Amino acid sequence: MASTRQISADPSARFETHAATREAPWVKWTLIVLALSFFALFLLMPLAAVFAEALRKGWSTYFAALVEPDALAAIRLTLIAAGIAVPLNLIFGVAAAWAIAKFTFRGKHFLITLIDLPFSVSPVVAGLVFVLMFGAHGWFGPWLGENDIKIIFAVPGIVLATVFVTFPFVARELIPLMQAQGREEEEAAIVLGANGWRTFWHVTLPNIRWGLLYGIILCNARAMGEFGAVSVVSGHIRGETNTMPLQVEILYNEYQFAAAFAVASLLALLALATLGVKAWVERRAGGARRAARDGASS
Amino acid sequence: MARTTRVLPGFGLALGLTLTWLSLIVLLPLASVFLKASSLSLPEFWSVVSAPRVAASYRLSFGMSFAAASINAVFGLMLAWCLVRYRFPGKRVVDALVDLPFALPTAVAGISLTALYAKNGWIGQYLEPLGIQIAFKPLGVMVALVFIGLPFVVRTVQPVLEDLDTEHEEAAASLGAGRWQTFRHIILPVLLPALLTGFALAFARAVGEYGSVIFIAGNIPMVSEITPLMIITKLEQYDYVGATAVAEVMLLISFALLFVINGLQAWAAKRTGRDR
């Protein structure tokens, strides 16, 4: 019983059980060995090397590097930047998905393309645009200088750059999901007398919760890990405007390899946690989809 | 356009919020690049963006991005094929870890790849006696770009492979076609738009990539400087106009690639939709 369930849980069984859709064993295993060797060489080894290098000088050096004041300041700044950027883009993403998925209007496809734009812009250019706007020689530079407001080479610039690069994440997860779900359920709720917010909280939100979570964790991973854009606007002031990835760079360029990899290992753990939650959400969402389909067919 | 009465509320609020946020965070800042670059006359602009050192960076960025995306197209397809078609131990972990380059910060990938491919690194120590140097050479750029681009190919090809009907393959087999013939003439044509989309996505990402590359590249002028680094270099010399000119070139290339990718995706949707 358990074994049949396991086979049916792996969709590749439908290919492997038919002579017409399977390859000779030597072909299969050659392909698997080649693909997995590539996978190990380009993905597993870089991941393993982070932890190996971090622990090369032992656990005490490792922990000393993490509680060092500049490292702690970098961790704090990374948490602040992500803590501002993710909620802002969450609100925007839900609003954008609501407008795009639940209503018809002209120029919708163009709007979706514009929302995706930050994904196709080089991170360095993303940082540069804010220097051009708010830097000392930028459009608002003189005015900001007169009023003693610092954006570039300060925390607001880092937050702005982070918001820019993480802009599309939540919206692009939610738009296709909410489009697929249609608007009948919400319309029914409205017709039955619920107001807009009630409808959103009790009808829409439960339907999109996995997609929302998925978008948030990807958005957060990028927000905490962004390097290029933040590097341009940060000014690299130790203990003040260094995020964790920038701290990694500084330590590395000072040949403090063990310390650089120690901070990097925290970011690698964050990446692994992100992938873990992502896989879990995908299985939950996939399971919900399967259940809905089975329910509909029976 | 027939207009039905809107039952759902909140359209004005949601769209207004979307357009405001989009304009403030994305559109206005990007427009500032074009405004700033327009302070140069056309010949001045051209001399900045075609200077030998900048031109060398285009050759490196585009050449290595193309090579990396090609490698990813081959191995990404292979990996997607194995994940969809075969059962093997550890498959779920492999499937989850394919997205590692999306989740791992680029600076972390950069220093880790450099450590691996340096002369005394886990991989570099075996390549050194063969006379192959990767870290601090143009080849290092390619290695970093392969890392960054892999999930784009796997994740665009994989869903198409999963949705593929087996009927055509069974028909081909009953008509006496071998597996390779079937793959070549039945499966590959259906996969092609998705594979090209994945290639284009990996290429587009690679051209703009910065964090993972600068550590391993060595950044030697005319030899191993990527185009995004040219922007940084000009900024560090307070040459804002020069930096903006190069940024404008990169933005125009990004927009062109975005246009190509949208076309490819439309083609892929049409092809798989028709075959389903």
Side-chain angles (χ1 to χ4, degrees), chain B residues 154-176:
Chain B
V154 178
R155 294 305 187 219
T156 38
V157 170
Q158 200 176 9
V160 181
L161 262 178
E162 274 167 0
D163 285 346
L164 213 61
D165 260 339
T166 53
E167 289 163 26
H168 299 298
E169 288 174 57
E170 281 157 12
S174 68
L175 292 172

Side-chain angles (χ1 to χ4, degrees), chain A residues 173-256:
Chain A
E173 283 309 322
L174 288 186
I175 291 169
L177 181 67
M178 284 169 67
Q179 273 177 333
Q181 285 170 349
R183 53 189 169 213
E184 285 86 1
E185 290 183 39
E186 281 89 354
E187 282 173 351
I190 297 285
V191 169
L192 290 173
N195 68 21
W197 287 115
R198 246 180 97 87
T199 307
F200 178 77
W201 281 110
H202 294 287
V203 180
T204 310
L205 205 57
N207 279 336
I208 62 170
R209 62 184 191 276
W210 297 122
L212 202 60
L213 184 58
Y214 197 96
I216 291 171
I217 54 164
L218 293 184
C219 184
N220 179 62
R222 181 69 193 267
M224 291 191 169
E226 177 52 28
F227 177 72
V230 169
S231 163
V232 174
V233 296
S234 127
H236 300 86
I237 308 163
R238 271 172 171 259
E240 281 181 42
T241 63
N242 271 341
T243 60
M244 287 167 76
L246 298 178
Q247 183 70 11
V248 169
E249 182 198 20
I250 288 191
L251 291 170
Y252 189 84
N253 287 342
E254 288 173 349
Y255 303 101
Q256 299 189 45

Side-chain angles (χ1 to χ4, degrees), chain B residues 43 75 86 117 124 130 134 146 149 157 167 176-178 209 217 224 233 237 245 251 254:
Chain B
F75 284 95
Y86 303 141
Y117 288 93
L130 306 172
I134 289 185
V146 169
V157 170
E167 289 163 26
E209 176 58 22
S224 59
T233 310
Q237 295 160 352
L251 271 182
S254 306

Side-chain angles (χ1 to χ4, degrees), chain B residues 174-214:
Chain B
S174 68
L175 292 172
R179 281 307 283 161
W180 171 248
Q181 274 182 308
T182 307
F183 177 78
R184 174 75 190 72
H185 296 288
I186 307 285
I187 301 172
L188 197 58
V190 184
L191 287 184
L192 194 64
L195 190 60
L196 284 177
T197 307
F199 174 89
L201 286 169
F203 180 80
R205 171 68 199 265
V207 169
E209 176 58 22
Y210 177 69
S212 60
V213 176
I214 49 151

